[in-house]
Amino acid sequence: MVMTSPTTATAVNSVLRVPPASPAAAAAYFGASLAFHADVSDVASALAADGDPGFVVVDSRSTASWDQGHIPGAVHLPTTLIPEQAPRLLDPAVPVVTYCWGPGCNGATRAALALAQLGYQVKEMLGGFEYWAREGFAFATWEGGERRAADPLTAPVDDDADCGC
């Protein structure tokens, strides 16, 4: 494989038209990203482990959406109700992980912002409920529990497989 110089590559390559950040800037950015975001698989693993995971999961969607499916053990707290209900439902000493529908929805971001403004430590779960279900994790509905097969485009289909992330 022949490597081209950055100057040559930027002339023809839209990926490098804007050069990558310095390693120090990249480390700061990606470190900050991990402070703000949690992965669906990591949340599921922490919830499945014995003992207290050290955080509470908050579903910020409507009641109809909650009834359609939600993470078992999550607290249902629609974003619009956070200012009035969070102090009653959540311990400010316990970090919160918010989720909404999926990657095309910024409801979990709005919920995280509202909680942070109230003084809560908060992370947003990337992928939301969509990726929770697509990765094959159990969820609750108004009719009971459900679990779908893992989508091979989002997660290993073997229950014992590790994605290697």
Side-chain angles (χ1 to χ4, degrees):
M1 179 174 172
V2 176
M3 298 296 294
T4 60
S5 71
T7 305
T8 304
T10 57
V12 295
N13 184 332
S14 62
V15 171
L16 297 175
R17 190 165 293 135
V18 174
S22 71
Y29 172 83
F30 293 117
S33 179
L34 292 171
F36 296 112
H37 300 111
D39 173 278
V40 166
S41 294
D42 290 342
V43 171
S45 177
L47 293 175
D50 290 337
D52 179 1
F55 61 87
V56 63
V57 178
V58 168
D59 184 319
S60 63
R61 300 172 302 149
S62 69
T63 299
S65 299
W66 167 268
D67 289 346
Q68 188 173 323
H70 59 272
I71 295 173
V75 172
H76 183 221
L77 183 55
T79 302
T80 57
L81 300 177
I82 287 173
E84 68 184 64
Q85 292 187 7
R88 182 173 52 80
L89 296 174
L90 304 172
D91 180 347
V94 177
V96 176
V97 175
T98 63
Y99 75 92
C100 198
W101 271 113
C105 175
N106 67 0
T109 306
R110 286 193 301 271
L113 173 61
L115 288 163
Q117 289 172 330
L118 292 174
Y120 292 88
Q121 289 183 299
V122 64
K123 288 187 175 202
E124 176 185 8
M125 186 178 78
L126 298 176
F129 180 73
E130 175 189 350
Y131 275 72
W132 183 273
R134 288 182 72 188
E135 290 190 23
F137 299 116
F139 57 93
T141 73
W142 68 275
E143 296 176 308
E146 189 173 330
R147 183 176 188 159
R148 298 179 181 173
D151 179 338
L153 296 176
T154 64
V157 293
D158 181 359
D159 283 342
D160 296 330
D162 180 354
C163 71
C165 296

